[in-house]
Amino acid sequence: VTLASLTRLADGDLAMALRIRQLERSLLDLYAAGQIAGTVHTCLGQEYIPVALAPLTAGDFIFSNHRGHGHYLAHFDDLEGILAEILGRHGAVCHGVGGSQHLFREDGFISTGVQGESLPVAVGVALHFRRTGAGRAVVVYLGDGSWGEGAVYEALNLASLWRLPVVVVVEHNGIAQSTPTELQLAGTIGARARAFDIEHREFRTCDINEIRAGAGPLIDSARREPRPIVLEFATTRLGPHSKGDDTRSVQELSRLAELDWLRRYAAAFESQFAAADAAARSQLERVVGELCARPRTDWRPPGGV
Ligand SMILES: Cc1ncc(C[n+]2csc(CCOP(=O)(O)OP(=O)(O)O)c2C)c(N)n1
Ligand SMILES: [Mg+2]
């Protein structure tokens, strides 16, 4: 991540990025309070990536991973649906049976907790889009660690060979659970993409406006030609892998906190930030309160199991 200065965001973009930040903070609190069954992986520090990409990929099909709350919220702006899903309350986007890691919307979103599973499936969907002339792309969010899965390379091969509209978004936060990337990844993701004749672009900035300007034409060309592309983001995982399981040193965590886009944005655009931050906090407080008062989901598959 570079420390280059950030440009002023549209109010809507800032609101969304802060809504994601507050959702993730609320989830860690709710987990600690025993309100969540299963697990959560938060995207603290990475919020700006899906916020930047969402308007560039409207109408496309999003494949997300275990760290997908921000992806879902940025692409569908459905705070109640995801929070109800994770809390297992009425109004949940998948009846409360998917939880944090397995979200699904027929109109364009699916996530999985299985690393490396999504890209082959996404390539199949992209083949369908290409054959039917749907004019849609698939967008696949992957972590750096998931480049250790062999299925990723079979999928890249076919996506390139068959010229499929696949936008691979790599959130390279330098770590996979507890393994630093330099201990598990030989070479670079860029070189791996190029080995399949796939264009790769790396973004080291946290500036949403700059990311959009750079990624927009590439995503359009992936959809139009069509062809696969890889967009890699150098980013920071500020929180634990999941809950309370951060293996990094205090020094490393404070170094990363210095890079936090939010902290830097707050210093640069004080009054805009203060208003948006207060609004996001009160929105989360209100929605969490409302949802915790709702009955639990009791959905069963039609016909029973
Ligand atoms: C096939 C498979 N192996 C292992 C795991 C356990 N696991 C969950 S997340 C994770 C690390 C993923 O790292 P990365 O892809 O860099 O994403 P990040 O968590 O950093 O966002 C692992 C090993 C899993 N979910 N699926
Ligand atoms: Mg990672």
Side-chain angles (χ1 to χ4, degrees):
V1 179
T2 58
L3 277 171
S5 60
L6 300 170
T7 60
R8 187 181 176 88
L9 297 178
D11 289 340
D13 289 334
L14 180 59
M16 178 55 79
L18 293 176
R19 193 173 302 139
I20 297 171
R21 175 71 57 119
Q22 291 307 329
L23 169 65
E24 299 295 50
R25 286 200 175 132
S26 303
L27 289 175
L28 289 177
D29 291 345
L30 287 162
Y31 190 89
Q35 291 284 344
I36 296 176
T39 189
V40 287
H41 303 81
T42 64
C43 67
L44 295 164
Q46 306 182 180
E47 300 89 347
Y48 62 92
I49 299 170
V51 175
L53 299 180
L56 307 177
T57 55
D60 295 330
F61 202 107
I62 314 301
F63 285 78
S64 174
N65 60 5
H66 60 294
R67 206 174 292 290
H69 311 149
H71 307 153
Y72 182 79
L73 203 49
H75 286 276
F76 289 95
D77 196 8
D78 175 25
L79 177 61
E80 261 190 54
I82 187 173
L83 199 45
E85 180 66 38
I86 297 169
L87 290 167
R89 303 285 173 164
H90 277 212
V93 55
C94 336
H95 311 286
V97 296
S100 160
Q101 297 185 87
H102 297 96
L103 301 167
F104 175 65
R105 287 177 71 114
E106 220 149 311
D107 57 345
F109 192 96
I110 191 163
S111 63
T112 175
V114 183
Q115 305 308 314
E117 182 230 320
S118 63
L119 193 55
V121 180
V123 164
V125 172
L127 177 61
H128 172 71
F129 286 166
R130 189 189 166 136
R131 281 185 172 159
T132 55
R136 297 172 82 185
V138 300
V139 177
V140 188
Y141 286 95
L142 285 184
D144 45 292
S146 303
W147 289 72
E149 291 288 342
V152 166
Y153 302 93
E154 298 183 34
L156 290 175
N157 180 56
L158 290 183
S160 179
L161 189 67
W162 295 342
R163 310 312 283 169
L164 301 178
V166 181
V167 177
V168 182
V169 178
V170 189
E171 295 176 314
H172 190 153
N173 55 18
I175 190 164
Q177 198 150 351
S178 54
T179 307
T181 305
E182 64 268 20
L183 297 187
Q184 59 86 7
L185 190 118
T188 63
I189 289 170
R192 293 178 184 206
R194 284 189 290 276
F196 291 99
D197 196 21
I198 295 175
E199 185 171 347
H200 164 269
R201 179 79 62 88
E202 188 183 15
F203 295 85
R204 303 198 68 83
T205 175
C206 302
D207 188 307
I208 289 175
N209 299 315
E210 193 183 330
I211 292 169
R212 269 195 204 139
L218 288 167
I219 295 173
D220 285 346
S221 80
R223 197 185 294 111
R224 201 179 48 245
E225 289 185 26
R227 63 171 179 140
I229 55 168
V230 174
L231 306 177
E232 179 179 353
F233 294 88
T235 190
T236 49
R237 193 193 85 196
L238 298 178
H241 169 66
S242 180
K243 309 102 13 203
D245 56 353
D246 212 322
T247 48
R248 297 168 295 184
S249 68
V250 175
Q251 291 88 327
E252 172 67 355
L253 291 176
S254 59
R255 187 188 70 80
L256 292 175
E258 295 287 314
L259 301 175
D260 184 6
W261 69 268
L262 180 144
R263 188 188 272 208
R264 291 155 51 204
Y265 194 88
F269 299 97
E270 269 176 57
S271 61
Q272 186 202 22
F273 176 84
D277 189 47
R281 285 170 193 269
S282 72
Q283 183 187 27
L284 257 295
E285 201 174 314
R286 179 176 54 75
V287 176
V288 167
E290 278 171 25
L291 289 182
C292 285
R294 281 191 199 169
R296 293 195 186 276
T297 53
D298 53 2
W299 188 79
R300 295 284 177 278
V305 274

